[in-house]
Every structure is written in structure tokens, then in C-alpha cells.
Amino acid sequence: MNNLDSSLQAHSKLEKEATNLAQLKDRVDKYHDLSTQMSSILTVFEKRLGNLEQTILPVYQETEQLQQRQQNLEATLNCLESVLSHYDVSQEVCQLIHQGPQEGNISVFLDALAKLRDADDYFRHSNSQSVELENVTSLFNTGCEGLNQHYSMLLKKHSAPLKPVELLDLIYIEDDSSDEYTSFRQLSQTTREELYTISHWLEQNLREYTHIYATERGDVVLRSLQLLKDHQKSNSWGHEALRPRHSGRQAEPKKTTSARLQQIFEKKASQFYLRATQTIEQSTGFSIKKASSHSDHLTSEDLMDGDQELDKYLVMLLGLQRLLNWERAIMHDIIPQSKHNEVFARLAYNAIELVVKDAEAITQRILRSISRKEWPLALGIFSALKRVILLQPDIDRTYDPAQREQLKKVLNKLQHTGAKALEHFLDVVKGESSTNIVGQSNVPKDATVHELTSNTIWFIEHLYEHFDVIGSILSQDVLYSTQLDTILMKKALPGDERNKALLAIYIKKALAELNLSIMNKCEQYNDQATKHLFRLNNIHYILKSLQRSNLIDLVTLAEPECEHSYLEMIRELKASYQKTWSKMLLGIYSLDELPKPVGGKVKDKDRSVLKERFSNFNKDFEEACKIQRGISIPDVILREGIKRDNVEHIIPKYNRFFEIYSSVQFSKNPDKYVKYRPHEINAMLSKLFDDSA
């Protein structure tokens, strides 16, 4: 039964598959018929498309040729119009060119020049024999000249020198980095844009214009400086200079020129120090504390060293820098970048020359003053030199290499003048030491401190405030550099200490010449005690001044035994002074040579000896007291010490002599010879060095 069912199912499946196969064959036949029909249709379409191409292609080619002919015709017409315009351009723009450009409408004039330039190019390349070439060229050159004149007119019309008060404010404002700097812009934005357009057109057309701009704007800088110079000559200069006048800033008390300069240079010194500190910290990673530098010495005393002329010159130098910074900013808005260096060099040249010539005049005047021994001006040179050095970063930013070299003359002249001042001061001290003393009386009658000594000490004390710039000056002298090398062989010194060592060498020379001068001058006194006291006064004053000002530590760099040497000289001079009493004491000191009293009496022949000894002592003592009462010892400690030494040296000897012989009957009139008791001698000694006693 089961086998029968399986056969029936298999048969049914076979019939179904046979039916499906028949249907598949029928459909394949239909698809084959459709493919054949489609192939026939495509073949017919291809034939018809080929026929269409053969018909249309000649029409297309003919149309393309017609279009090309049309384009050629249009190009020919355009070219003809362009050629005709070149022949007509001279008449078209002639009136406009001769009228010149109009301010605020420069584009119309430049368009006319562009047409003339194109016409000129055409005739040069296509018909160089044409009469129109000459007309166009002449008219183009006339237009360019008119453009240059308009360019110059714009600069003159909108440029004017700054008034002195404006320039002084410019110095103050820019130093404060204020936004009010823009209030000094003379050229409006519209004018700058027009000048910019003209500059670039002239540059593109290879026309010269830079000398016009440099001349006009350079004249503004020069006249601004000249007006400032004239203002500096006025009576109001010293009190109103560098005082802000613009309403936007809160009113400040009036400051003198020196006070304002001090404020400006202190700020620059702080910036200079800050940059140096940052550089060191970035390169080494170490933090440094502020040490002695330029800024440490820019004090009010520093400013008092110079004179008003130096202050005025420094203001001129600051004014020049501010003006040129101002001009560089204006130039960037007008002149093409490629011409900046050339224009700025021309623009700044005359103004820089003015400042350099002023430096020459001032240094010559100061040299003449120094020859008259006006030493504060010499110190003023060092102050000015210090400030010029502080200006160097600004100079490096503002000026080109050639201009920096030009301005370097100022620094060189100040350094040369400073070197001359140092050299001349030594010559003065040396000249005093070699002066012929015969018949002269240029020493103080009271043997006090000589003017040369006080002046020398005053000068070298103030030199320390400028050790940095003086060190740089002295380092250029081979004699000083050689001695510095000797010092460095014994002890390594950093940069600032080297400058101090060079100054120490100079001070050592000055003190050596001063010591020699004092030694020679003391010979003008006839009295030996006065000679020693004169030297003692001066040597003691030198030592105490060096100790008080701490210069003794500085001089020790060049002469380690300096303090000891002066102390030894003082000790020797005190001893030499005490020896001047020896002649007076000789007659009373050697008691063995005197007669021995017996019962208060001496022999008749010995009486004359005692009379002579008492008389000689009285005479010598009175004469010494008379002279030395007129001698001045300004230092209280020194004066009282010498008085004490006199008492200790004289009273014991006189006391012994007095005790033995004052009661001896060697004269009918003993009061004539025994004039002074020991306490009276003591009292008279206490009144020495006091002319009022």
C-alpha cells in the first residue's frame, strides 16, 4: 500500500515538472523573437542617424565659419575703434591734462593719463613715425609733471611743522604709550589715500616721486626741530618744557626740563633693565636681583651735574626720535613698501645732521668750559652719555643702519669729550703739582684743606655715579686696559666690577697726583710745623672723604693698601709735627746738662744759663703759639687729637724743668723768665688752631 502511494506522488511531480519545462521553452522562444525585432529597429535607426549626420554636418561647418567671420569682424571693428581712439586721445584729454588733477577727484586724471600711456605704447610699437606719437608723449609728460606738482601741493598743503608745545607733548605722550598720539596726525585719511594712489601710480609708471615726499616731509621734521631750538632759547623754556598740555589728561604740576627728563630716562632705564633681566632669565633659567646699572644713578643729583644746554640737547634728541617714528608711521600709509628705506633715509638725513652738528657745537663749548675748570659740565657730559646709551634700543628700532652710523657720531663725540674731561682733570692736578712755587702764595694762610683737594675729592666722588660710562671710556685707553689685565690676573671680576676697577685706576692716578701736589705746595710755608699740619689736614681730609663716600672700597680694587698707606702717612705726619717742638724742648729736656741747684741757689756763672734756657723756651713757645693759633684744623677729632698729643709731649718735660728751676734764685726779676706755669702752658696749648683765642 505504501509503495503504491509513493509511485503516485512521483508521477504527479514528474507531470508538473514537464508542464513547467514546456512553459519555459515557450517563453524563451518569445524572448528570442523580441530580440530579433529590437535588433532590426536599431539597425534601421543607425542607418537613419548616419543619413542625418551626412545632411547636418555641412550645415554646422558652414555656421561655424559664419560665426568665426562675425567674431573677426567684431575684433576688427574694436581694433579700429581702439586705433581711432589713440588718434583722438590727445584732443580728448588735452584740456583735462593742462588743467591738472583736482584734489579729491584724482581718478579722472589718472584715467586720462592711462589713455595717453596706452596711445604712446601703440604708436611706439605700430607707427613710430606718426606725428601723434610726439603729441601723446608730450601730453603724457605734461600730465606726469602736473601729477608731481599736485603730489607736492598736497604734501605742502596738509603738512606743517609741529609747534614746540606739540612736539614736547609728542615726546611725553609717546613715552607714556598713550593713544592720544593719533591727535597729532596732520594728514587726513582722505589725503593719505589720495597720496597713496598717486605714489603707487607713479611707482608703476617708473616716475620719480620719492625725492618730493622725502623733501617735503623731511622739511617738516627739520623745521619742527628748528622751532624747538628757538623755543629753547626763550625764557620760559626751563619751566614749561615737557609738560602735558592736552585737555584729555589730568593736569599735573609744572615740572622743569630736568625733572621731566629724569622721569623719561628713569622709565627707559627700567625698561632697559627689565629686557636685560628677561633675556638672562630665559637663557639661563636663573632669576636675578636688580644690581647697579644705569637706572640706579639717574637721580636728581645726576641731573644737576650738567647744564641746561645738555638738557636741551637731550630733548632735541628725543624730539628727533619721536618725529621720525611719527614719519615712519605716515610713510607706511603712503609710500610703497619697496621704497621705504630709500625715502626714510632721504627724509631723515638733514634732521640727523642738524642734531649731529649741535652735538659738535655743544661738545666744543663744554671742552672750552672744562679748560676753565668748570667741572660740573664734565659730569654733565657723563650724564648725557648715559642717557644716549639708554636711547640706543630706541635708535636701533627707529633708524636704518646708515642712520645709526650717522647718529653714532653723537655717541662718539660725547665719549671723546668725556675722555678729554678725564684727561684734562688729571692734567690740572698734575699741573698743580709741578707749578713753580717760587714767589707764589696760592696756599691757604691757615693751612686748611686746599681748594684743589676739595675739588678733586668732589669730582671723583661724583665720578662714581657714572662708573659704567666712564669705565667704557677708559677701557679704550691701552694704559688703563693693561692695568686692568694685571688686576684680572689676580682676581676675576664681572662686567660692572671691571668698569669700577677702571675707575679705581683713574682715581688712583688722581690721588697720586694730588698727593704730590700737596707735598709741593706745603713748601710754600716757611714754618715747618705749618708744612706738616697743611699736609696732615689734606691727607686726613682725603682719607675721611674716601671712607665716608665708600670710595675707599672702590680704590682698593686698584690699590689694596690704599687705606693703610693713608693711615701710615697720617701717623708719620703727626710724628713729624711733634718733632717741630724739639728745638724748644731741647733746652729744658736734658736736665743733666743743666746746673744743679743747692739750697735753691746756683752759682753765679750758671745763672745766665738758666736765664737763657727760660728765655729761649718762652720765645720759641710764644712764637709757635702765635703761628699755630692761626692754623685751622677743620676736623674736630684730628684737632683735639693733636692738642692731646701736644700736651702729652710738652707738659711732662716742662713740668720737670719747672719744678726744679722755677724756685731757684737765678735772677732779681724771676717773673721775667719764669713766665708760664704748667697749667698756663696747658691752657695755651688748648687754644692752638683757634684764631679767635
Side-chain angles (χ1 to χ4, degrees):
M1 191 67 181
N2 289 335
N3 291 334
L4 182 61
D5 289 338
S6 298
S7 293
L8 290 174
Q9 288 178 356
H11 182 74
S12 174
K13 287 182 179 181
L14 183 61
E15 287 180 351
K16 187 176 181 179
E17 292 297 329
T19 302
N20 290 339
L21 180 61
Q23 290 177 350
L24 180 61
K25 287 182 179 181
D26 183 55
R27 289 177 180 176
V28 168
D29 292 339
K30 288 181 179 181
Y31 289 149
H32 178 72
D33 293 341
L34 289 173
S35 297
T36 302
Q37 293 175 7
M38 181 61 70
S39 178
S40 300
I41 292 171
L42 290 174
T43 301
V44 172
F45 180 77
E46 183 179 4
K47 289 180 180 181
R48 292 180 179 179
L49 186 61
N51 294 333
L52 181 62
E53 182 180 1
Q54 292 176 359
T55 304
I56 294 301
L57 186 60
V59 175
Y60 174 78
Q61 292 174 346
E62 184 176 356
T63 302
E64 185 179 11
Q65 292 173 358
L66 289 174
Q67 289 177 343
Q68 184 65 42
R69 290 172 185 173
Q70 183 181 4
Q71 292 175 357
N72 291 340
L73 182 59
E74 290 176 353
T76 302
L77 291 174
N78 290 335
C79 182
L80 183 59
E81 289 178 359
S82 176
V83 170
L84 291 175
S85 68
H86 292 327
Y87 280 92
D88 295 337
V89 69
S90 57
Q91 294 180 353
E92 179 185 340
V93 302
C94 181
Q95 183 177 358
L96 177 60
I97 294 298
H98 286 295
Q99 286 178 349
Q102 301 297 316
E103 184 176 354
N105 194 24
I106 192 65
S107 59
V108 175
F109 190 82
L110 294 181
D111 289 342
L113 285 177
K115 292 178 180 179
L116 289 172
R117 180 190 58 199
D118 293 341
D120 183 82
D121 291 341
Y122 168 76
F123 289 119
R124 288 184 184 279
H125 293 90
S126 302
N127 189 4
S128 59
Q129 304 301 320
S130 174
V131 177
E132 283 298 318
L133 175 60
E134 183 178 350
N135 294 336
V136 168
T137 302
S138 175
L139 200 57
F140 181 75
N141 290 335
T142 301
C144 289
E145 291 175 6
L147 189 61
N148 279 340
Q149 292 172 2
H150 179 71
Y151 189 71
S152 178
M153 181 276 297
L154 282 177
L155 289 169
K156 288 180 178 178
K157 179 179 178 181
H158 297 280
S159 299
L162 287 184
K163 297 177 182 178
V165 291
E166 293 174 335
L167 179 52
L168 293 172
D169 279 346
L170 182 63
I171 294 172
Y172 180 82
I173 289 172
E174 190 172 356
D175 185 69
D176 282 351
S177 302
S178 170
D179 293 336
E180 293 182 54
Y181 169 69
T182 57
S183 66
F184 293 102
R185 292 167 65 108
Q186 293 180 338
L187 300 174
S188 66
Q189 189 62 33
T190 303
T191 303
R192 293 192 187 202
E193 290 174 357
E194 185 167 340
L195 288 169
Y196 172 85
T197 302
I198 297 173
S199 297
H200 281 257
W201 190 93
L202 292 170
E203 175 71 17
Q204 292 170 0
N205 288 273
L206 306 177
R207 291 283 169 167
E208 176 55 44
Y209 65 96
T210 56
H211 75 283
I212 299 175
Y213 183 90
T215 300
E216 296 297 337
R217 293 306 301 177
D219 188 56
V220 170
V221 176
L222 191 61
R223 285 190 291 160
S224 298
L225 290 177
Q226 193 61 54
L227 288 175
L228 178 60
K229 285 184 65 176
D230 295 340
H231 178 66
Q232 288 175 338
K233 296 175 184 177
S234 67
N235 294 330
S236 62
W237 161 251
H239 299 286
E240 68 174 5
L242 297 178
R243 178 170 57 85
R245 295 166 179 80
H246 38 279
S247 58
R249 187 181 297 274
Q250 184 178 358
E252 296 180 5
K254 292 183 179 180
K255 296 183 179 180
T256 63
T257 307
S258 295
R260 179 60 68 194
L261 279 173
Q262 179 185 1
Q263 179 181 347
I264 291 175
F265 282 103
E266 280 180 347
K267 185 175 294 185
K268 288 189 176 296
S270 298
Q271 294 170 352
F272 183 86
Y273 169 77
L274 181 60
R275 286 195 296 269
T277 302
Q278 291 174 343
T279 301
I280 293 174
E281 290 180 354
Q282 290 173 0
S283 60
T284 65
F286 292 104
S287 162
I288 62 174
K289 294 182 178 180
K290 188 172 182 180
S292 177
S293 66
H294 293 287
S295 58
D296 292 328
H297 308 298
L298 286 174
T299 62
S300 58
E301 290 80 2
D302 182 33
L303 288 157
M304 291 171 61
D305 287 340
D307 70 339
Q308 201 174 61
E309 289 301 315
L310 283 171
D311 287 344
K312 292 176 182 178
Y313 181 74
L314 289 169
V315 172
M316 284 280 291
L317 203 57
L318 283 169
L320 173 65
Q321 180 205 339
R322 301 296 191 266
L323 284 169
L324 292 183
N325 277 337
W326 185 41
E327 287 299 328
R328 191 183 286 276
I330 295 174
M331 183 183 67
H332 280 207
D333 291 344
I334 296 173
I335 303 298
Q337 178 70 33
S338 60
K339 296 292 184 179
H340 281 183
N341 292 339
E342 175 188 345
V343 171
F344 191 71
R346 287 184 181 181
L347 182 154
Y349 183 83
N350 289 335
I352 294 176
E353 274 300 297
L354 174 67
V355 171
V356 172
K357 288 180 180 178
D358 280 359
E360 292 177 358
I362 289 176
T363 52
Q364 288 300 319
R365 183 184 63 80
I366 290 176
L367 285 174
R368 290 193 297 269
S369 299
I370 290 172
S371 67
R372 297 192 295 268
K373 303 179 184 179
E374 297 174 2
W375 303 118
L377 283 177
L379 297 174
I381 276 291
F382 301 129
S383 297
L385 182 58
K386 185 181 300 183
R387 294 177 190 141
V388 171
I389 291 173
L390 287 175
L391 283 177
Q392 286 304 304
D394 294 331
I395 289 174
D396 292 341
R397 286 194 302 270
T398 303
Y399 302 100
D400 297 330
Q403 294 164 338
R404 290 198 293 270
E405 191 65 27
Q406 193 179 1
L407 272 174
K408 191 177 179 181
K409 295 177 184 177
V410 174
L411 186 63
N412 292 340
K413 289 182 186 302
L414 291 175
Q415 287 179 329
H416 175 74
T417 304
K420 283 291 184 183
L422 294 172
E423 179 183 350
H424 185 69
F425 182 79
L426 280 182
D427 289 341
V428 167
V429 179
K430 187 183 299 183
E432 292 280 349
S433 68
S434 60
T435 301
N436 184 6
I437 63 175
V438 178
Q440 293 187 355
S441 58
N442 61 344
V443 291
K445 293 181 180 180
D446 60 357
T448 188
V449 177
H450 196 278
E451 181 183 9
L452 176 65
T453 302
S454 58
N455 286 345
T456 301
I457 293 299
W458 178 88
F459 187 70
I460 63 177
E461 281 179 348
H462 284 77
L463 288 182
Y464 182 73
E465 299 170 8
H466 312 286
F467 72 85
D468 40 10
V469 293
I470 293 175
S472 65
I473 292 173
L474 295 177
S475 64
Q476 300 174 22
D477 189 321
V478 65
L479 295 177
Y480 287 92
S481 59
T482 301
Q483 293 186 51
L484 177 63
D485 291 340
T486 303
I487 295 174
L488 293 177
M489 290 175 62
K490 301 176 182 178
K491 181 181 180 181
L493 297 174
D496 275 355
E497 292 298 315
R498 294 189 181 191
N499 286 330
K500 290 180 181 179
L502 287 165
L503 178 57
I505 296 170
Y506 177 83
I507 294 176
K508 174 186 173 183
K509 287 179 181 257
L511 292 176
E513 295 296 342
L514 178 60
N515 291 339
L516 180 59
S517 178
I518 295 302
M519 186 179 298
N520 287 339
K521 286 181 180 299
C522 79
E523 296 302 322
Q524 297 182 43
Y525 295 103
N526 296 321
D527 178 65
Q528 285 296 323
T530 306
K531 292 180 180 180
H532 296 313
L533 290 173
F534 172 72
R535 286 190 63 199
L536 187 57
N537 266 333
N538 284 272
I539 297 300
H540 186 270
Y541 176 82
I542 293 171
L543 176 60
K544 291 303 176 184
S545 297
L546 293 176
Q547 291 173 335
R548 182 185 65 253
S549 62
N550 293 325
L551 277 179
I552 195 69
D553 296 331
L554 176 68
V555 180
T556 301
L557 293 173
E559 183 54 63
E561 298 298 320
C562 176
E563 187 171 20
H564 174 74
S565 298
Y566 274 107
L567 289 172
E568 187 64 22
M569 273 194 286
I570 290 172
R571 187 191 64 77
E572 291 175 358
L573 286 170
K574 286 181 177 180
S576 298
Y577 165 71
Q578 291 300 326
K579 289 179 181 178
T580 60
W581 298 103
S582 298
K583 178 184 175 183
M584 180 190 74
L585 295 175
L586 184 61
I588 65 172
Y589 180 66
S590 301
L591 298 181
D592 294 339
E593 299 176 2
L594 295 176
K596 305 294 188 229
V598 178
K601 298 180 180 180
V602 293
K603 297 178 181 179
D604 291 342
K605 64 178 182 178
D606 294 330
R607 292 179 180 179
S608 60
V609 174
L610 292 177
K611 291 179 181 179
E612 180 184 3
R613 297 299 174 93
F614 271 105
S615 296
N616 288 341
F617 176 85
N618 294 337
K619 177 184 176 182
D620 292 342
F621 184 68
E622 288 170 355
E623 183 179 353
C625 288
K626 179 181 178 181
I627 293 173
Q628 294 186 36
R629 272 198 301 268
I631 292 176
S632 173
I633 300 180
D635 187 86
V636 176
I637 296 177
L638 177 62
R639 181 173 66 244
E640 296 304 318
I642 292 176
K643 287 181 180 181
R644 184 175 59 254
D645 292 343
N646 285 341
V647 169
E648 293 174 355
H649 183 56
I650 296 171
I651 295 300
K653 297 177 178 61
Y654 182 75
N655 196 41
R656 286 199 307 271
F657 178 73
F658 182 84
E659 288 176 353
I660 295 174
Y661 296 105
S662 63
S663 60
V664 173
Q665 299 177 4
F666 61 88
S667 172
K668 295 179 180 180
N669 188 11
D671 292 340
K672 176 182 178 182
Y673 299 98
V674 186
K675 296 176 64 174
Y676 303 107
R677 297 182 179 278
H679 72 274
E680 293 174 322
I681 296 292
N682 195 345
M684 293 178 70
L685 289 174
S686 67
K687 295 179 180 179
L688 295 184
F689 320 125
D690 184 0
D691 195 29
S692 63

